[in-house]
Amino acid sequence: MTSEAILGDAIACAPKVFDVLASGQVRDAFGARFHQLKSAEQELLAGVAGCSPFLRRLMLRDPAAVVEILRTSPSEAMRSACEHARQVGSTEGRDVQLSTLRHAKDRAALTIALADIGGVWDVITATRAISVFADAALDGAIAAAAAGVDYDPAAPGLAVIAMGKHGAFELNYSSDIDIVVLFDRTQMGGRAYPEAQKLAIKITREMVTLMQQQTPDGYVFRTDLRLRPDPGVTAVALSVEAAETYYEAYGQNWERMAYVKARAAAGDKAVGEAFLKALRPFVWRKYLDFAAIDDVKAVKRQIHSSKGGGEVEFEGHDIKVGRGGIREIEFYAQTQQLILGGKDRELRQRATLDALDALHGAGHISLNARDDLTNAYCYLRQVEHRLQMVNDEQTHAIPRAAQDIQRIADFLGEASTSSFRERLTKTLRTIERHFDDLFEEEAAPSSISGSLIFTGVNNDPATIATLQGLGFRRADEVSDIIRRWHAGGMRATRTERARVLLTKLMTPLLEALAKAGSPDDAFFAFDGFLKRLPAGVQVFSLLASNTELFETLIRIMTISPFLGRELSKRVNVIEQLLDNSWASAPEIDSYSPSLDAALASVENYEDVLNGVRRWAGEKKFLISAQVAVGILGADDAAARFTAIANACIDQLCSAAIAEMRRQHGDIDGALCVIGLGRLGAVEMTATSDVDLIFIYDAAPDVVSDGARPLGPIDYYTRLVRRIVTALSAATEEGVLFEVDMQLRPSGGAGPTAVSLSAFRRYYEEDAWTWEVMALTKARVIAGAAKLSKTVEQEVETVLRRPRKAEKVRADIRDMRERLMKARPGVSEWDIKSISGGMTDIAFVCQYLALLHGRRNGPPPPALARMIEWFADKGALSREDADALSDARALFETVFQTGRAATGGVFDPETAGQALRARMAVACDAKTIEEASTILTARQSMVANIYRKVLGVL
């Protein structure tokens, strides 16, 4: 505080009287006292009262105190106010403490305002005075809080760290104070950690209450503790050790910037200073790596994602965070301090103007830049103070109403609102020019215009506006989550390198999200993807090298959050999305060679199992993604899902046989694997299980030739068990397929490996109609050629046997009724089970296959070809065949899309907007409601054909 002159004698200027009536209230209330004042004092009080309702109330509350302030040097008045604040620790009673602090604050606020407005102090001296009083108030409050819990009022071991403007002695007139409270239990009388923590938390909470509780006397300072490490989960007071560990592991560059200004302000300052000393390597890196420099630059680019993003305005412009505002000056200095201050101690200045001086002195900025930014900073801080002095509000925005603008112009002593406008906009543009010159070569093209700031603990209003402009309806939530990403709140962002990369990716990510049909749905899908990633560096590096990949990922995740979850388990798939060729499905006959190549260097049996699962997972994901986004048709997808299963079964059968030979030797016999259901019909989906029958052929008296020989029953039973385990067991790569063997002879009660003779005998003597129906979709998947041919002939023999139409019809109707009772379709979207759905089409075709098998032989197993086959043979009218074909194609599209996109049955009530739109398109409809109507109509038509062929259910 530079001036020791009596305040009233040093007045250099006074504001214009905006509100004459308000000014008159002070004159009347002061009475004779007013007329005893000097003319300069009268002008100052009249102008202040006429411009600031808040200061007028303070003056009216105690006119004698105002005169006393005018008759004292502002430095002495502030010393007195600070002393009164510190004495709170020696007073008793919460009400007395609250009142004492607030009266001290009123005296300080009035002294600072009159000295500032009257030109006795410059604005920097005023900000320092506010900060010094904040320190005193904290000292008093912490002493009172400590005494209140029977602890030493000096609060040994408990330190208050002033952050940001408070730490730099730059508080604005109505500023909040940002603090971090730390405790060192070794300085707290030998207390154990839990007891020390509990005590520190109690004192901190009471201190904050004393500072910010609103009473009839007002408040002292709004106190914010959210700059402490991980504020969402940590206590209000944190141990020194815990804080150091956090910053070492998770500290971000914006937190380093915060600590550029930090200082020990109250409580046990020795503890605070020791902590800040220990934190120096985190804040001031002697050898700042390029990744950290890139992160600092990326944070800069986030503030305004493109040059010209956001405009310098006047009405409503935020002079703190808007274009050309105070924050840009602070950032201009702090970014360079962070990058250069590790090697040059002279740059480690807390105060913004000191930092600009140091940067110029070291040759890092020009004299012109320093002077321009210094003058601009002082002017904007002065405007900021006048805005806040009007009603003691934490505001930084120029008013929009002409009358309110006139008040501020008068308060600043401007000749007119026009001159105020001209001076302010010129200042803002000067700052903007210097700010944009910083890291100019790093400017990146972007379609986003506006601020994107995701640092600190509060959502930035300008950023919220930018997000809303991009189409986000839940912009506050989006900003909150992004800030948590940067805070290392998930595994993917725990490392510093991951956070650096993520910062660089924010603009292209938001650009991609904005292009989605629903940016909110797309964002939350991507957030879910990040949450499940085991680590982020690999994925973020891939995205950084090809930001166009975002659009592919967002497209997939928006339509299918389920696929987003799957993708987080298979990060290596992202590399395959880098090339647009992912959108072209591989040829059917390429899958088996592809799996062979993937396993070429694998020898260990467990590695084979994992390798097959990894390969299949990648291939199934890519096909699912193509189906979900509409690149691949349902039948093409079914063929490829089946080809993947074929390759896996063949490979794992071979691996299991090799293991059996290693343990038990070879046996004179053969094994054949039959696929049924969707596997046999080449109609598999993303989530299909595999229906299998294992048939072997060997003489009953043969034994294997290994060290532990087995007979045929035991040998093939163990082999089948090994194959089933290889297909279905969960390994570190997950589950490959669920294996269903209920369709084997005698179902769950039958042997897992069925001899050829038993298979033949069962279907001659014991098979139920539904078991014979299942054979209409039978297909040999793997096995010895000779046995496979024999099995195919046996299946054909079974299907060619003569049958009584009424008996088959009755059995099929009974089976359908059982299925309807066990699993009734829940809606028209439950394509498989609903009356008139896919099961009814399948049952119609299977009935016709059994009825006409003797004359025509077995039809092809795929349902689409089966329907055409019956029409060609005259078993089904062309009209009914066309109707069933159209319905089957629609149902299969819905079924495949639902399984690919959700892993289950599509439900329009729970599906996101993008998936609903995709499903509507799949049904050749404009809306999901229209699609529902189309499905219902097709199901009704299928039900009519079912009744015509099989009778009424």
Side-chain angles (χ1 to χ4, degrees):
M1 302 174 194
T2 58
S3 176
E4 290 296 329
I6 290 175
L7 196 156
D9 292 342
I11 295 171
C13 57
K16 296 179 182 179
V17 176
F18 172 75
D19 185 339
V20 176
L21 291 178
S23 179
Q25 290 176 358
V26 167
R27 184 180 290 106
D28 293 343
F30 274 56
R33 287 192 189 92
F34 191 83
H35 299 292
Q36 293 168 2
L37 297 175
K38 300 170 187 176
S39 60
E41 293 172 328
Q42 291 178 353
E43 288 178 15
L44 177 61
L45 296 187
V48 169
C51 290
S52 168
F54 166 68
L55 293 173
R56 182 175 73 252
R57 288 194 296 273
L58 288 185
M59 290 191 287
L60 292 175
R61 187 178 297 172
D62 193 351
V66 177
V67 175
E68 183 183 339
I69 289 171
L70 290 171
R71 293 289 176 263
T72 310
S73 75
S75 298
E76 183 57 39
M78 285 304 301
R79 277 194 291 271
S80 174
C82 290
E83 185 58 32
H84 277 86
R86 288 193 178 93
Q87 288 174 358
V88 170
S90 60
T91 60
E92 294 185 4
R94 162 84 67 86
D95 290 344
V96 175
Q97 293 168 346
L98 291 169
S99 177
T100 300
L101 271 177
R102 280 146 187 76
H103 288 160
K105 171 63 184 298
D106 287 351
R107 179 65 68 95
L110 198 51
T111 299
I112 294 166
L114 293 177
D116 183 359
I117 299 166
V120 179
W121 279 348
D122 60 35
V123 70
I124 301 303
T125 304
T127 63
R128 184 175 185 84
I130 299 167
S131 305
V132 168
F133 179 78
D135 290 356
L138 284 169
D139 265 331
I142 200 170
V149 293
D150 297 324
Y151 190 59
D152 188 335
L158 196 66
V160 179
I161 307 295
M163 306 292 288
K165 286 184 169 63
H166 185 191
F169 292 103
E170 294 175 339
L171 285 177
N172 54 56
Y173 193 77
S174 296
S175 186
D176 298 351
I177 57 172
D178 293 295
I179 61 172
V180 173
V181 181
L182 303 169
F183 68 91
D184 182 349
R185 71 177 186 83
T186 66
Q187 304 298 314
M188 298 177 72
R191 286 175 169 80
Y193 181 86
E195 184 186 355
Q197 183 186 44
K198 185 177 180 180
L199 178 63
I201 290 171
K202 278 186 177 180
I203 293 172
T204 301
R205 286 177 174 164
E206 178 64 11
M207 175 190 71
V208 171
T209 298
L210 289 169
M211 292 290 286
Q212 69 176 19
Q213 180 175 315
Q214 189 76 37
T215 74
D217 294 318
Y219 66 98
V220 186
F221 287 98
R222 291 174 293 268
T223 305
D224 196 334
L225 292 161
R226 288 176 296 171
L227 283 182
R228 71 185 186 275
D230 208 356
V233 297
T234 55
V236 292
L238 201 65
S239 74
V240 169
E241 295 90 342
E244 290 176 357
T245 300
Y246 167 84
Y247 290 117
E248 181 179 349
Y250 304 119
Q252 301 172 68
N253 275 320
W254 73 263
E255 289 173 308
R256 292 176 59 217
M257 289 182 189
Y259 274 96
V260 167
K261 295 176 179 284
R263 64 181 173 83
D268 191 334
K269 292 183 182 179
V271 167
E273 287 165 359
F275 168 75
L276 293 176
K277 182 178 180 180
L279 211 62
R280 283 177 194 165
F282 165 69
V283 180
W284 305 111
R285 298 186 182 179
K286 189 170 184 180
Y287 300 105
L288 195 66
D289 58 52
F290 288 109
I293 293 173
D294 282 346
D295 190 31
V296 173
K297 293 177 181 179
V299 173
K300 179 262 180 184
R301 287 194 296 273
Q302 279 186 7
I303 288 186
H304 294 292
S305 60
S306 63
K307 188 171 180 178
E311 297 295 332
V312 168
E313 301 171 331
F314 181 70
E315 287 88 351
H317 194 77
D318 192 313
I319 63 168
K320 178 182 178 181
V321 299
R323 266 315 238 165
I326 295 167
R327 178 172 286 180
E328 291 192 357
I329 302 175
E330 294 171 334
F331 201 93
Y332 182 95
Q334 286 179 311
T335 51
Q336 296 181 84
Q337 285 180 282
L338 280 188
I339 293 172
L340 303 166
K343 293 183 178 180
D344 187 348
R345 290 177 175 272
E346 293 302 315
L347 300 180
R348 302 178 188 182
Q349 304 293 328
R350 290 192 181 101
T352 302
L353 297 189
D354 291 344
L356 292 173
D357 275 339
L359 287 167
H360 168 63
H364 298 299
I365 66 173
S366 69
L367 177 63
N368 181 57
R370 186 205 62 180
D371 290 347
D372 280 352
L373 293 176
T374 296
N375 293 333
Y377 182 80
C378 291
Y379 175 63
L380 290 186
R381 295 305 306 269
Q382 186 180 37
V383 175
E384 177 186 51
H385 277 193
R386 298 303 178 272
L387 289 170
Q388 296 179 355
M389 286 173 177
V390 171
N391 283 308
D392 191 27
E393 293 175 339
Q394 179 72 338
T395 180
H396 305 89
I398 301 299
R400 292 186 179 277
Q403 187 175 7
D404 294 333
I405 294 173
Q406 182 67 59
R407 179 194 294 271
I408 301 302
D410 288 349
F411 209 175
L412 286 164
E414 293 283 358
S416 65
T417 56
S418 297
S419 63
F420 176 35
R421 177 192 299 269
E422 181 179 352
R423 183 178 180 187
L424 181 65
T425 53
K426 181 180 179 181
T427 300
L428 296 172
R429 289 195 174 110
T430 297
I431 298 168
E432 179 185 37
R433 184 181 73 253
H434 287 293
F435 184 77
D436 284 338
D437 286 342
L438 187 64
F439 307 132
E440 178 64 25
E441 71 280 4
E442 296 296 324
S446 169
S447 63
I448 300 177
S449 177
S451 181
L452 289 174
I453 304 172
F454 300 108
T455 60
V457 294
N458 297 310
N459 284 333
D460 172 58
T463 298
I464 299 302
T466 301
L467 292 174
Q468 290 170 339
L470 291 172
F472 291 96
R473 298 185 305 276
R474 297 159 66 182
D476 282 296
E477 283 184 70
V478 170
S479 182
D480 279 336
I481 290 171
I482 292 175
R483 287 190 294 101
R484 286 201 293 274
W485 290 352
H486 288 296
M490 62 179 99
R491 286 178 299 175
T493 59
R494 291 257 170 92
T495 68
E496 183 179 10
R497 177 61 179 159
R499 294 193 293 273
V500 168
L501 288 168
L502 181 62
T503 301
K504 294 175 67 175
L505 290 170
M506 283 315 306
T507 297
L509 170 61
L510 291 171
E511 286 177 325
L513 291 167
K515 295 175 183 176
S518 171
D520 293 274
D521 289 348
F523 174 82
F524 291 111
F526 190 79
D527 176 51
F529 166 69
L530 288 189
K531 285 177 180 174
R532 285 179 293 274
L533 283 179
V537 171
Q538 179 188 356
V539 173
F540 297 155
S541 295
L542 285 171
L543 293 172
S545 64
N546 189 333
T547 53
E548 292 80 8
L549 180 57
F550 271 126
E551 294 190 26
T552 298
L553 289 178
I554 297 306
R555 184 181 179 194
I556 293 171
M557 292 176 189
T558 305
I559 290 175
S560 174
F562 167 76
L563 287 177
R565 293 191 290 273
E566 290 300 301
L567 185 57
S568 65
K569 302 173 189 175
R570 307 186 186 280
V571 174
N572 49 318
V573 174
I574 295 177
E575 294 186 53
Q576 299 179 43
L577 299 178
L578 283 169
D579 187 349
N580 285 332
S581 64
W582 82 273
S584 302
E587 295 297 325
I588 299 296
D589 58 6
S590 70
Y591 284 101
S592 232
S594 171
L595 180 54
D596 289 342
L599 299 175
S601 60
V602 176
E603 296 179 359
N604 180 278
Y605 182 68
E606 293 300 323
D607 290 342
V608 170
L609 299 191
N610 282 319
V612 170
R613 280 158 173 72
R614 186 163 49 250
W615 175 87
E618 293 173 8
K619 299 302 179 185
K620 289 202 295 186
F621 175 86
L622 292 171
I623 297 303
S624 297
Q626 291 170 336
V627 174
V629 302
I631 292 174
L632 192 65
D635 291 334
D636 288 334
R640 283 161 177 80
F641 284 129
T642 306
I644 293 168
N646 290 344
C648 293
I649 293 169
D650 186 60
Q651 189 70 238
L652 291 176
C653 280
S654 297
I657 289 170
E659 279 294 291
M660 281 297 294
R661 286 173 176 163
R662 186 178 63 81
Q663 294 181 12
H664 301 286
D666 207 351
I667 193 168
D668 185 13
L671 181 73
C672 172
V673 184
I674 298 178
L676 301 157
R678 281 191 165 263
L679 172 62
V682 194
E683 294 172 341
M684 289 190 72
T685 71
T687 59
S688 289
D689 56 14
V690 289
D691 295 286
L692 299 174
I693 298 177
F694 294 89
I695 301 172
Y696 71 90
D697 188 25
D701 57 348
V702 300
V703 293
S704 62
D705 57 8
R708 291 179 288 171
L710 296 172
I713 294 177
D714 288 338
Y715 189 93
Y716 285 107
T717 297
R718 293 191 185 189
L719 174 58
V720 168
R721 188 181 303 130
R722 186 177 290 276
I723 293 171
V724 171
T725 300
L727 286 167
S728 60
T731 74
E732 62 189 55
E733 292 291 338
V735 175
L736 182 58
F737 294 107
E738 296 292 335
V739 177
D740 190 342
M741 297 178 65
Q742 292 298 315
L743 294 177
R744 70 184 187 270
S746 299
T752 54
V754 182
S755 69
L756 178 62
S757 58
F759 178 82
R760 182 183 292 123
R761 184 170 57 253
Y762 183 82
Y763 280 97
E764 285 178 352
E765 302 173 1
D766 300 320
W768 295 73
T769 298
W770 66 268
E771 293 177 301
V772 180
M773 289 166 62
L775 289 186
T776 62
K777 294 186 177 184
R779 179 173 63 87
V780 172
I781 305 299
K786 183 178 178 181
L787 178 59
S788 296
K789 183 66 175 176
T790 300
V791 168
E792 287 174 349
Q793 292 171 347
E794 287 297 325
V795 170
E796 182 172 348
T797 297
V798 173
L799 294 177
R800 280 185 175 275
R801 288 189 182 123
R803 292 176 175 82
K804 292 181 180 180
E806 191 50 47
K807 172 68 167 63
V808 173
R809 190 182 298 119
D811 286 349
I812 291 177
R813 284 203 307 266
D814 178 67
M815 183 65 184
R816 185 69 181 107
E817 287 173 4
R818 289 171 182 267
L819 289 176
M820 289 284 283
K821 289 178 181 178
R823 194 187 182 287
V826 296
S827 76
E828 66 275 14
W829 294 99
D830 193 353
I831 294 297
K832 181 177 179 180
S833 302
I834 196 72
S835 176
M838 297 179 76
T839 298
D840 284 357
I841 297 176
F843 276 23
V844 166
C845 291
Q846 288 169 333
Y847 166 72
L848 294 175
L850 299 187
L851 187 65
H852 298 280
R854 182 177 186 183
R855 180 174 71 249
N856 298 320
L863 205 55
R865 294 178 59 200
M866 199 182 285
I867 293 169
E868 288 301 311
W869 192 84
F870 288 130
D872 292 342
K873 300 294 184 181
L876 195 62
S877 71
R878 172 49 60 186
E879 181 182 1
D880 285 349
D882 288 346
L884 289 178
S885 291
D886 290 346
R888 185 217 67 85
L890 174 62
F891 295 168
E892 187 70 14
T893 297
V894 171
F895 195 65
Q896 288 282 357
T897 304
R899 289 297 192 272
T902 71
V905 176
F906 169 75
D907 180 0
E909 297 299 320
T910 59
Q913 177 182 333
L915 180 55
R916 285 163 58 92
R918 164 73 185 100
M919 195 62 86
V921 171
C923 295
D924 197 22
K926 294 180 179 178
T927 65
I928 200 69
E929 291 75 21
E930 183 184 346
S932 177
T933 301
I934 291 171
L935 283 176
T936 301
R938 294 291 174 87
Q939 289 158 6
S940 176
M941 179 187 63
V942 169
N944 288 334
I945 296 173
Y946 179 95
R947 285 191 289 270
K948 183 193 301 184
V949 175
L950 286 164
V952 178
L953 276 174

